[in-house]
Amino acid sequence: MSHQFSEKDIEEEHVHFLNVVTAFQQYAQYSLAANNRRRKDLYTLPQADKALLDTLGYKQKLQEVDTAILTNADFLNKIVANPEIFGHDLSAGENGDDVGPDKDALQEQQHSHSYDPTHSHHGHSHSHDHNTQNSVPGRPQARGKYKPTDFDMDKLRSTLKQFVRDWSEDGKAERDLCYEPMKKALEQHFEVLVPGAGLGRLAFDVAKLGFACQGNEFSHYMLLSSYLILNKTELIGEHTIYPYIHSFSNIPSKEAILRPVKIPDVLPSDLPPGSDFSLVAGDFEEIYGAHDTDESEPQAGQWDAVLTCFFIDTAKNIVNYLRIMHRILAPGGVWINLGPLLWHFENNNTSDPSIELDLEEVKDLARKIGFQLSDERTIETSYTSNDQSMLGYIYKAAFWKATKASF
């Protein structure tokens, strides 16, 4: 079943893409203003208090954060240096016709597992915050130059932390906890799909093992960023970012705030000759799915393995996710899962449906759909965490290997 896109769908997708590009370009202005707020707050204090803080080097720290913001901005601007490669005409943005967030932008809010304390001190690692500034989602609100929102900047901050998780030496321990069990469970399964591929490291690692691997990703933030790291990066450690400068809460030292991270830790072009590695943009259900069980669909039986890492709780309807995975797997194929169940559309304000099962219900559903579960266990792991922070969240992530029964 191929999904037919209306002109309205295409327009909204184009508008959203332009707004994402604008958010990347406006990172420096937004972040410098946020840091300057700290200076303004400092100047409201009594002179004696200001003098005391001067002895601690507080103003100098703010200056160093400004410098780090500009370094991040240089990196983010590289990501959107040539966005035309994604097939969008940017002339509308150049003429000042960018418009407000659309429904795709609202939906992307539910596709993050990272904890960012900048605007919340009681949240956790993958946010359920569905607040928006749009009274009528799905259509542009007004014409004129787009002004990125707090949500847009949250996405950029999360993207920087995702680079740490996927493409730095600093993220290796977290990657190993999640990715290594999944790779070891692959055994001899050769055509591998990785939905929710993010910045592509898990899919890259699978391809490097010699498997044919396709990643699938929905977020423009992830797609633009992964293109730079996978296709335009020529050296190990070529880029330096400062992912921890956006919040001063629960930080033990200035060095922890200003800690630079070099990416990538491996050369993305260093795949064996003849490797089959690709990344497909779009919604998982629209690209691979159908709301029925038609085995004549082009994707039916085409994959030997599906790897879902912190992915299945992005579903509005988990039944359809599992049906799709079962249908696209060949008989005897495996679905390898690791992740929590923090349902991304729970309590949303966009009128999207949300089916929220507990872990035992998800496993029972998988069996009823036709999977045989094995190697069921819990793996404790963080997600895009700062290992030097005074605050951290640990997921008790569910791992299993599910085999499509051969009939």
Side-chain angles (χ1 to χ4, degrees):
M1 180 184 76
S2 60
H3 183 85
Q4 299 298 318
F5 293 97
S6 67
E7 289 187 8
K8 174 183 173 182
D9 292 332
I10 295 170
E11 177 193 354
E12 291 179 351
E13 172 72 10
H14 176 63
V15 165
H16 177 48
F17 181 84
L18 293 177
N19 292 347
V20 170
V21 171
T22 301
F24 275 82
Q25 295 168 338
Q26 293 296 312
Y27 164 84
Q29 179 180 334
Y30 182 100
S31 300
L32 289 171
N35 197 42
N36 198 46
R37 186 271 306 161
R38 298 186 176 101
R39 289 188 181 87
K40 292 178 180 179
D41 291 348
L42 179 63
Y43 288 121
T44 67
L45 300 182
Q47 188 60 41
D49 293 356
K50 287 190 288 185
L52 194 56
L53 289 174
D54 279 347
T55 67
L56 302 180
Y58 185 73
K59 284 196 293 186
Q60 177 61 30
K61 181 171 71 172
L62 297 182
Q63 183 59 47
E64 291 178 47
V65 168
D66 279 348
T67 302
I69 286 170
L70 294 176
T71 300
N72 284 347
D74 286 343
F75 173 68
L76 294 172
N77 285 332
K78 290 177 184 177
I79 290 174
V80 294
N82 296 292
E84 296 88 350
I85 58 174
F86 286 84
H88 291 269
D89 178 10
L90 301 189
S91 59
E94 292 170 0
N95 293 330
D97 290 335
D98 290 6
V99 291
D102 56 29
K103 189 174 182 182
D104 281 348
L106 301 180
Q107 288 179 343
E108 272 197 7
Q109 296 181 58
Q110 293 94 30
H111 285 74
S112 173
H113 288 83
S114 60
Y115 167 71
D116 190 335
T118 306
H119 295 103
S120 172
H121 295 276
H122 56 271
H124 55 86
S125 302
H126 62 128
S127 173
H128 286 285
D129 182 10
H130 304 304
N131 294 331
T132 72
Q133 297 179 3
N134 294 298
S135 58
V136 184
R139 293 299 293 165
Q141 297 297 303
R143 302 186 70 81
K145 188 66 176 177
Y146 178 61
K147 182 179 180 180
T149 64
D150 289 346
F151 160 69
D152 296 318
M153 292 301 147
D154 283 342
K155 292 296 293 184
L156 285 180
R157 289 188 286 265
S158 294
T159 298
L160 289 170
K161 292 179 181 179
Q162 191 74 32
F163 272 111
V164 180
R165 173 180 169 86
D166 262 15
W167 292 103
S168 78
E169 185 64 30
D170 296 54
K172 184 178 186 303
E174 192 174 277
R175 281 197 309 276
D176 286 351
L177 282 170
C178 296
Y179 296 170
E180 289 304 313
M182 303 186 79
K183 290 187 288 184
K184 288 178 182 177
L186 271 175
E187 299 176 349
Q188 298 300 314
H189 300 278
F190 296 106
E191 299 282 342
V192 182
L193 175 66
V194 182
L199 293 180
R201 182 58 182 266
L202 176 58
F204 169 85
D205 284 354
V206 169
K208 196 169 177 64
L209 291 174
F211 300 102
C213 187
Q214 182 173 104
N216 164 238
E217 179 54 50
F218 171 77
S219 166
H220 284 308
Y221 291 89
M222 295 291 103
L223 291 166
L224 286 161
S225 300
S226 63
Y227 182 83
L228 176 77
I229 205 73
L230 293 171
N231 297 284
K232 297 296 183 180
T233 300
E234 299 177 351
L235 300 170
I236 292 175
E238 180 174 339
H239 310 290
T240 300
I241 59 175
Y242 294 86
Y244 307 119
I245 58 175
H246 305 104
S247 173
F248 284 17
S249 298
N250 291 306
I251 299 297
S253 66
K254 182 177 78 170
E255 289 73 24
I257 292 176
L258 293 165
R259 175 160 55 109
V261 177
K262 291 188 174 297
I263 56 173
D265 62 321
V266 297
L267 194 59
S269 61
D270 187 24
L271 286 174
S275 294
D276 186 353
F277 173 42
S278 61
L279 186 63
V280 174
D283 181 85
F284 170 69
E285 291 176 287
E286 291 176 353
I287 293 177
Y288 302 96
H291 290 287
D292 53 40
T293 56
D294 184 1
E295 293 294 332
S296 68
E297 284 290 322
Q299 294 286 341
Q302 295 301 303
W303 300 96
D304 298 310
V306 176
L307 273 59
T308 54
C309 186
F310 280 71
F311 175 72
I312 64 171
D313 54 3
T314 67
K316 299 175 188 177
N317 177 7
I318 185 63
V319 178
N320 196 45
Y321 263 32
L322 269 58
R323 279 181 173 156
I324 291 170
M325 287 189 286
H326 186 268
R327 183 179 55 80
I328 65 177
L329 280 169
V334 297
W335 162 36
I336 300 166
N337 177 73
L338 180 123
L341 292 177
L342 192 57
W343 298 106
H344 287 203
F345 286 88
E346 185 175 15
N347 299 324
N348 73 82
N349 62 4
T350 54
S351 300
D352 287 297
S354 180
I355 304 301
E356 299 134 11
L357 304 184
D358 61 44
L359 179 58
E360 288 306 314
E361 288 172 331
V362 170
K363 291 181 178 181
D364 195 27
L365 174 65
R367 296 183 184 100
K368 291 179 184 300
I369 284 175
F371 286 108
Q372 297 173 345
L373 272 62
S374 62
D375 196 12
E376 300 174 54
R377 50 194 163 110
T378 298
I379 295 177
E380 295 190 356
T381 179
S382 56
Y383 193 95
T384 65
S385 68
N386 177 0
D387 61 7
Q388 294 187 19
S389 173
M390 297 165 65
L391 174 69
Y393 288 92
I394 298 296
Y395 286 104
K396 296 181 179 180
F399 178 91
W400 63 74
K401 180 177 179 178
T403 304
K404 179 176 178 177
S406 300
F407 297 107

